[in-house]
């Protein structure tokens, strides 16, 4: 069984429609560690040692967050800045994360079509996530393709339910090692594998 | 009009008080001295408006002392009393014992018979609960080490009165039976053992009554919703205690104190206190006036030097004894000087002992008159001693201690000076120390300074609002002055001093509350820290979180509140002087803030959470109007 750590960052979960459902479902999954960063560090004072310990205890890391201005919410960036320390996560002596897997699981308000050359945002989601991908590589991890839950603004409650169970299914498959991760790594989005 | 009539007397007493007390207060002399002066003026020596009935008034007004002890008892929880046991028994016991012995010796040397000498010793060992506690409370120093020590000693003296009363009849030359001594006190018909049992029974009665009887009675009385009935019940309670205790020969003040302590935890405590307060004040005032009126100016005029010398000598010896005891019990020099000057007079109980002594011929009548004048004068001088201590002694102590450390301080030249290292300043100071910022710490509580020094911290004693001390602490070279004093008046004084003499210093000032902050804003202080704002907002945020709000949302709401409130504080500072304007402006601000924090309103500014989740954006997309 793969050990999965979901690092969840959402500054206004009480207002969200989609993420709140997803977060609730993931929190209840067996064998998966769910870490609600905004609940844990409301004043941005991150316990670096504890977070690093948590990372070493897991095989697959998930950064789950909504896309805000083509990036992650600020607390996750703060987490990356502080926890992925030089000579621990990267650098000549930084091997703590080597061999682990990492991917982003994101929600976007706009639909899939908006994230294309002809769409409103002009670039693909994968392109917007390049900084995260490179961060993973620098830390000697394998970056898996992002998992996207898009068009959340238009979702009704049955859509949200379907979206949630699909994402939960992915996490279960990863946990139970039912996926070929090397094959997955070649995909544009995790969604395409399924 | 006949001088003895009740209304005439009431008129004279009240008029004297109403005229003299405000004058005394305006002159910074305190209310006690005002009452005493009023008494001297209406007394036989000057205007002669009151005659022999002043003794009766004094006996009646002594009841004010009983009420005062009751009120003090109400404020003292049993746990606190237990904490004070060491100073009550230790300091109080030692004070009474040593003072009795010393004055016994002095009187013997002056050629008095040993019985009279012992009586003098006991008389002199007692201090004035009424004057000292009233003054300590008025000056707000009852909670300081000096105040607590004084209180402990006074309490012990009240207890010591009991055996003294028992011993006094035996001091009559030629002997006198106890029955004669106490007049009609029925208790003297019993043997020693039975007496002890009766006294203990009375104490038990007060405690049990306070615990089990008073509450249901007050509950029923409060149920009638007649305010005056509640007042009547309170008076009834105190008078009952007075009667019980005097019947068994206990000090009524002690009994009332006990009754107060028993009721300290009851829900009626504040009601009791506010109901009895005006009676207490009036009676105490009359009491002080009677003391003033009993000073026989004619008698003093006959041998002024002898009397004045005796009074001052007596007070000097008494305060030296007290000072020694204070030192033994490790009072800091500033606290100790307050303590020993506060208690160096002869107390009101001296009048009781003296009247007994004169009736039974323990003293010759000349000696009795002499002691009466000395007692009254020593009480009258006490408020002056307090002023002397405040204006002359305390500043000198500060200066001396400061001078002895001056070279040390100048040598340090730290960028930060912290004035006040109590619960507030010490936290800020420790943070700076942890970041290795050099700080010079000043504090005007000698006990705290000593403690901190023992803990290995460099702390200097002194009143930082004195320019020369501030100079000595390196204010000329420092960049910041952190003011974290406990008393707002001291804070303002220091701010004024610093702004006048060291304008280059950036001031960071602790403010007690909103009003305090306005005072500071008016002086142009930029960095103001209301002492509870941050903590209470943190508490509010945690409460929201525990109720199920997201931690970040709760913290954000608290931050929003904080910044809005700080801004409102500055905006409202201008209107503060005008009460009406201030209140209406403040109400506006409060309404505004509540509106801001109401998370249900879709378009309030708490919709901080990024546009991607805002309802307006979602609407835009769903309707297809985005782009």
């Amino acid at each position: 069984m793969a050990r999965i750590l979901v690092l969840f960052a959402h500054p206004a979960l009480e207002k969200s429609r989609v993420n709140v459902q997803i977060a609730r479902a993931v929190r209840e999954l067996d064998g998966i560690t769910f870490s609600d960063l905004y609940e844990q560090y409301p004043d941005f004072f991150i316990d670096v040692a504890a977070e690093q310990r948590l990372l070493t205890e897991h095989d697959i890391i998930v950064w789950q967050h909504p896309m805000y201005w083509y990036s992650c919410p600020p607390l996750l960036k703060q987490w990356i800045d502080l926890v992925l320390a030089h000579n621990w996560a990267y650098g000549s002596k930084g091997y703590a994360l080597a061999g682990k897997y990492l991917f982003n699981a994101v929600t976007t308000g706009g639909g899939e079509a908006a994230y294309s050359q002809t769409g409103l945002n002009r670039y693909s989601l994968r392109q917007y996530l390049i900084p995260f991908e490179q961060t993973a590589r620098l830390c000697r991890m394998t970056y898996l393709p992002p998992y996207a839950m898009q068009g959340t603004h238009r979702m009704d409650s049955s859509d949200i339910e379907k979206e949630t169970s699909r994402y939960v299914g992915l996490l279960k498959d990863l946990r139970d090692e039912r996926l070929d991760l090397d094959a997955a790594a070649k995909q544009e989005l995790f969604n395409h594998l399924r | 009009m006949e001088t003895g009539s009740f209304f005439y007397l009431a008129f004279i007493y009240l008029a004297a008080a109403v005229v003299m007390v405000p004058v005394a207060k305006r002159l910074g002399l305190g209310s006690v001295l005002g009452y005493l002066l009023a008494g001297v003026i209406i007394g036989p020596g000057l205007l002669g408006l009151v005659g022999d009935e002043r003794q009766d008034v004094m006996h009646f007004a002594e009841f004010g002392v009983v009420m005062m002890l009751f009120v003090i008892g109400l404020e003292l929880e049993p746990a606190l009393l237990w904490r004070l046991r060491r100073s009550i028994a230790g300091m109080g016991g030692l004070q009474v014992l040593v003072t009795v012995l010393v004055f016994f010796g002095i009187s013997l040397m002056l050629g008095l018979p040993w019985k009279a000498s012992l009586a003098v010793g006991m008389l002199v060992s007692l201090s004035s609960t009424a004057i000292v506690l009233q003054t300590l409370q008025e000056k707000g120093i009852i909670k300081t080490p000096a105040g607590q020590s004084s209180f402990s000693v006074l309490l012990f003296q009240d207890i010591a009165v009991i055996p003294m009363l028992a011993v006094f009849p035996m001091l009559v030359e030629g002997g006198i039976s106890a029955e004669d001594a106490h007049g009609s006190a029925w208790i003297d018909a019993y043997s020693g053992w039975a007496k002890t049992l009766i006294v203990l029974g009375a104490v038990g009665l007060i405690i049990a009554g306070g615990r089990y009887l008073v509450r249901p009675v007050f509950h029923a009385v409060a149920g009638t919703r007649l305010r005056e009935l509640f007042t009547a019940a309170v008076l009834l309670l105190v008078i009952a205690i007075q009667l019980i205790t005097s019947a068994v020969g206990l000090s009524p003040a002690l009994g009332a104190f006990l009754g107060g302590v028993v009721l300290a935890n009851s829900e009626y405590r504040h009601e009791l206190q506010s109901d009895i307060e005006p009676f207490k004040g009036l009676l105490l005032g009359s009491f002080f006036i009677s003391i003033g009126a009993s000073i026989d100016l004619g008698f003093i005029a006959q041998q002024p030097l002898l009397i004045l010398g005796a009074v001052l000598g007596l007070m000097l010896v008494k305060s030296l004894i007290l000072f020694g005891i204070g030192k033994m019990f490790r009072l800091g020099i500033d606290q100790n000087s307050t303590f020993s000057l506060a208690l160096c007079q002869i107390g009101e109980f001296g009048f009781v002992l003296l009247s007994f002594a004169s009736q039974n011929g323990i003293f010759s009548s000349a000696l009795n008159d002499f002691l009466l004048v000395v007692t009254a004068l020593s009480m009258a001088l006490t408020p002056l001693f307090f002023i002397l201590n405040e204006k002359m002694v305390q500043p000198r102590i500060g200066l001396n201690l400061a001078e002895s450390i001056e070279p040390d301080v100048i040598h340090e030249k730290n960028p930060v000076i912290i004035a006040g290292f109590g619960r507030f300043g010490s936290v800020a100071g420790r943070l700076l120390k942890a970041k290795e910022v050099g700080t010079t710490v000043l504090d005007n509580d000698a006990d705290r300074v000593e403690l901190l020094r023992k803990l290995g911290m460099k702390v200097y004693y002194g009143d930082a609002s004195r320019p020369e001390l501030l100079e000595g602490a390196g204010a000329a070279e420092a960049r910041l002055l952190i003011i974290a004093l406990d008393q707002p008046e001291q804070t303002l004084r220091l701010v004024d001093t610093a702004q006048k003499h060291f304008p280059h210093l950036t001031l960071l000032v602790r403010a007690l509350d909103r009003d305090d902050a306005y005072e500071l804003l008016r002086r142009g202080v930029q960095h103001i820290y209301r002492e509870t704002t941050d903590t209470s907002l943190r508490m509010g945020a945690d409460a929201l979180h525990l109720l199920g709000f997201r931690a970040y949302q709760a913290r954000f709401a608290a931050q929003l509140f904080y910044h809005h409130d700080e801004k409102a504080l500055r905006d409202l500072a201008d209107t503060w002087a005008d009460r009406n304007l201030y209140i209406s402006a403040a109400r506006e601000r409060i309404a505004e803030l509540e509106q801001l924090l109401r998370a249900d309103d879709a378009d309030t500014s708490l919709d901080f959470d990024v546009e991607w989740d805002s309802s307006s954006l979602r609407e835009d997309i769903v309707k297809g109007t985005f782009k």
Side-chain angles (χ1 to χ4, degrees):
Chain A
M1 234 170 61
R3 300 168 298 172
I4 300 180
L5 171 64
V6 177
L7 294 163
F8 175 65
H10 196 309
L13 194 60
E14 65 280 357
K15 285 175 177 287
S16 108
R17 299 163 57 247
V18 180
N19 271 292
V20 72
Q21 301 291 346
I22 298 173
R24 189 176 303 145
V26 174
R27 202 190 294 272
E28 283 161 10
L29 279 178
D30 283 335
I32 286 179
T33 309
F34 182 80
S35 174
D36 186 344
L37 291 179
Y38 270 94
E39 191 66 4
Q40 212 174 344
Y41 303 118
D43 36 22
F44 281 50
F45 188 75
I46 290 168
D47 184 345
V48 172
E51 292 299 314
Q52 289 181 342
R53 204 178 320 119
L54 209 54
L55 284 175
T56 56
E57 287 164 2
H58 292 83
D59 310 309
I60 302 176
I61 318 297
V62 186
W63 283 332
Q64 186 189 328
H65 58 90
M67 286 296 278
Y68 284 170
W69 283 111
Y70 312 108
S71 186
C72 64
L75 181 55
L76 181 55
K77 179 62 166 65
Q78 173 90 337
W79 183 97
I80 291 170
D81 292 352
L82 296 182
V83 177
L84 303 183
H86 182 243
N87 277 347
W88 182 81
Y90 70 103
S92 58
K93 291 176 202 142
Y95 283 85
L97 301 175
K100 295 182 188 298
Y101 294 89
L102 184 140
F103 69 97
N104 295 68
V106 302
T107 54
T108 65
E112 215 178 325
Y115 288 89
S116 67
Q117 224 172 349
T118 53
L120 181 69
N121 295 321
R122 297 176 55 239
Y123 297 96
S124 73
L125 187 63
R126 185 72 195 245
Q127 282 172 308
Y128 283 118
L129 292 172
I130 282 175
F132 297 94
E133 179 174 350
Q134 183 54 27
T135 301
R137 279 182 206 282
L138 201 63
C139 295
R140 305 181 165 95
M141 290 188 275
T142 305
Y143 187 72
L144 297 173
Y147 180 79
M149 293 162 271
Q150 296 187 288
T152 56
H153 287 315
R154 290 169 190 279
M155 286 182 187
D156 59 24
S157 56
S158 76
D159 292 336
I160 294 174
E161 215 168 285
K162 263 182 259 166
E163 200 62 61
T164 304
S165 68
R166 254 204 296 264
Y167 178 54
V168 166
L170 169 72
L171 291 179
K172 279 183 182 162
D173 286 347
L174 286 169
R175 178 192 67 190
D176 301 337
E177 301 180 35
R178 283 199 289 260
L179 296 177
D180 179 353
L181 294 181
D182 294 326
K186 295 187 180 98
Q187 300 290 328
E188 165 85 8
L189 288 177
F190 235 131
N191 310 49
H192 298 165
L193 188 71
R194 303 172 54 76
Chain B
M1 194 188 284
E2 200 200 327
T3 54
S5 101
F6 173 76
F7 285 109
Y8 171 79
L9 261 185
F11 176 79
I12 296 294
Y13 271 75
L14 292 175
V18 169
V19 173
M20 280 313 292
V21 174
V23 171
K25 281 221 104 166
R26 180 62 60 87
L27 295 174
L29 301 177
S31 69
V32 176
L33 200 55
Y35 284 120
L36 290 168
L37 284 175
V40 172
I41 289 170
I42 63 170
L46 285 176
L47 297 182
L49 294 172
V50 290
D52 288 336
E53 72 286 341
R54 64 181 188 271
Q55 295 299 337
D56 302 331
V57 173
M58 189 190 291
H59 284 313
F60 178 67
E62 252 174 56
F63 191 49
V65 182
V66 175
M67 285 182 164
M68 180 172 68
L69 264 294
F70 181 73
V71 171
I72 288 167
L74 278 179
E75 286 170 7
L76 257 189
E77 286 170 22
L80 176 65
L81 199 59
W82 182 244
R83 268 218 327 269
L84 285 177
R85 67 192 186 278
R86 208 176 81 98
S87 54
I88 294 172
M91 294 181 103
L94 213 55
Q95 186 270 338
V96 171
L97 189 72
V98 174
T99 314
V100 169
L101 286 178
V102 166
F103 282 92
F104 175 63
I106 291 174
S107 306
L108 274 183
M109 279 193 290
L110 292 175
L112 285 180
W114 75 267
K115 283 182 176 174
S117 302
L118 190 57
V120 169
M122 291 196 282
L123 175 75
V124 172
S125 71
L126 302 171
S127 309
S128 170
T129 308
I131 289 181
V132 177
L133 287 189
Q134 177 75 11
T135 311
L136 289 176
Q137 265 171 347
E138 203 168 292
K139 294 194 181 299
I141 50 176
I142 190 94
K143 295 259 155 72
T144 62
Q148 298 273 302
S149 305
S150 306
F151 176 76
S152 303
V153 171
L154 288 167
L155 199 61
F156 184 88
Q157 290 178 353
D158 269 328
I159 300 170
V161 162
I162 304 165
M164 284 185 192
L165 270 181
V167 170
F168 243 64
M170 297 178 220
L171 297 179
V172 177
E173 286 298 340
I176 184 172
S177 68
E179 283 91 317
D180 296 336
H182 271 273
S184 60
W186 56 273
I187 188 172
D188 295 311
Y190 296 90
S191 68
W193 271 107
K195 258 193 230 177
T196 313
L197 278 178
I198 290 169
V199 168
L200 285 178
V203 171
L205 187 67
I206 291 171
I207 292 176
R211 195 149 270 187
Y212 303 109
L213 192 67
V214 169
R215 275 195 54 211
V217 170
F218 276 118
H219 186 75
V221 169
T224 64
R225 297 187 181 282
L226 290 170
R227 230 195 119 67
E228 69 276 14
L229 200 61
F230 199 91
T231 310
V234 178
L235 285 177
L236 181 68
L237 172 71
V238 182
I239 291 174
I241 292 174
Q242 157 97 17
L243 286 177
I244 293 171
T245 46
S246 2
V248 300
L250 266 177
S251 144
L254 192 67
F257 174 73
L258 204 61
V261 172
V262 173
L263 290 170
N265 287 324
S266 94
E267 63 270 43
Y268 297 112
R269 167 181 166 187
H270 297 291
E271 188 69 31
L272 289 169
Q273 218 164 333
S274 64
D275 271 0
I276 211 157
E277 201 71 43
F279 294 100
K280 180 203 96 177
L282 269 181
L283 282 174
L284 268 187
S286 319
F287 178 68
F288 295 139
I289 292 178
S290 328
I291 292 174
S294 71
I295 295 176
D296 188 343
L297 294 177
F299 187 77
I300 297 174
Q302 287 166 20
Q303 37 193 346
L305 289 180
L306 177 68
I307 289 176
L308 203 67
V311 172
L312 292 178
L314 175 138
M315 293 177 92
L316 180 72
V317 172
K318 235 189 130 168
S319 58
L320 283 178
I321 294 171
L322 285 160
F323 194 82
I325 291 168
K327 219 171 156 81
M328 261 179 69
F329 283 81
R330 298 176 193 287
L331 278 182
I333 178 132
D334 58 333
Q335 300 291 328
N336 201 1
S337 71
T338 304
F339 167 71
S340 44
L341 284 176
L343 293 173
C344 71
Q345 74 295 101
I346 304 180
E348 53 273 6
F349 208 77
F351 293 117
V352 179
L353 291 183
L354 276 172
S355 77
F356 174 81
S358 76
Q359 281 157 30
N360 294 287
I362 297 179
F363 303 135
S364 67
S365 106
L367 179 62
N368 206 76
D369 286 350
F370 180 75
L371 286 173
L372 209 58
V373 167
V374 168
T375 302
L377 269 185
S378 77
M379 286 166 87
L381 284 177
T382 303
L384 285 174
F385 273 40
F386 267 105
I387 294 167
L388 200 72
N389 176 43
E390 213 167 88
K391 299 265 183 307
M392 307 281 291
V393 180
Q394 293 293 344
R396 238 160 258 256
I397 292 171
L399 203 60
N400 285 342
L401 279 181
E403 268 169 3
S404 65
I405 49 120
E406 205 167 26
D408 217 16
V409 182
I410 285 175
H411 186 64
E412 285 183 31
K413 281 194 183 155
N414 285 317
V416 181
I417 300 173
I418 300 180
F421 212 65
R423 62 194 168 93
F424 197 94
S426 62
V427 178
R430 277 163 52 204
L431 177 65
L432 291 173
K433 201 180 169 207
K435 296 300 282 180
E436 292 176 346
V437 174
T439 53
T440 303
V441 178
L442 300 169
D443 198 294
N444 54 5
D445 178 337
D447 290 324
R448 188 150 68 206
V449 170
E450 205 192 316
L451 178 72
L452 290 168
R453 288 200 153 211
K454 274 186 193 145
L455 291 174
M457 278 188 259
K458 269 202 165 171
V459 178
Y460 301 105
Y461 177 87
D463 176 1
S465 63
R466 303 172 59 82
E468 55 275 33
L469 186 67
L470 214 48
E471 170 90 60
E477 290 88 14
R479 289 166 56 197
L480 306 180
L481 171 60
I482 293 179
I483 304 178
L485 299 168
D486 294 325
Q487 306 288 335
E489 311 85 63
Q490 290 177 353
T491 302
L492 293 178
R493 215 165 52 224
L494 176 50
V495 167
D496 291 342
T497 308
Q499 286 177 333
K500 187 167 164 218
H501 297 276
F502 306 99
H504 73 280
L505 282 175
T506 301
L507 304 182
L508 290 86
V509 187
R510 163 192 181 182
L512 192 70
D513 53 19
R514 213 163 244 285
D515 285 354
D516 206 19
Y518 290 138
E519 280 289 351
L520 292 166
L521 280 169
R522 223 162 50 83
R523 284 168 162 77
V525 177
Q526 287 299 315
H527 307 279
I528 297 170
Y529 305 86
R530 281 177 291 156
E531 59 180 37
T532 52
T533 310
D534 299 62
T535 317
S536 53
L537 277 175
R538 220 153 45 76
M539 187 197 233
D542 284 351
L544 286 174
H545 185 214
L546 289 171
L547 287 172
F549 285 81
R550 297 269 298 167
Y552 185 65
Q553 189 196 13
R555 203 59 61 91
F556 195 90
Q559 281 172 356
L560 188 68
F561 188 107
Y562 174 78
H563 287 284
H564 184 277
D565 200 48
E566 280 290 299
K567 189 173 176 304
L569 182 79
R570 275 150 218 274
D571 293 348
L572 287 173
D574 298 331
T575 67
W576 183 55
D578 182 338
R579 210 67 200 158
N580 291 329
L581 201 63
Y582 172 72
I583 286 172
S584 79
R587 287 172 78 116
E588 238 168 71
R589 290 312 169 116
I590 291 167
E592 197 180 292
L593 180 62
E594 280 171 4
Q595 170 94 25
L596 203 60
L597 283 171
R598 211 159 286 142
D600 298 341
D601 293 0
D603 275 330
T604 63
S605 59
L606 196 62
D607 224 1
F608 62 89
D609 49 49
V610 276
E611 304 310 294
W612 298 114
D613 273 304
S614 82
S615 30
S616 59
L617 173 73
R618 184 168 166 259
E619 234 168 74
D620 220 357
I621 286 174
V622 173
K623 283 187 198 148
T625 48
F626 190 71
K627 267 171 221 205

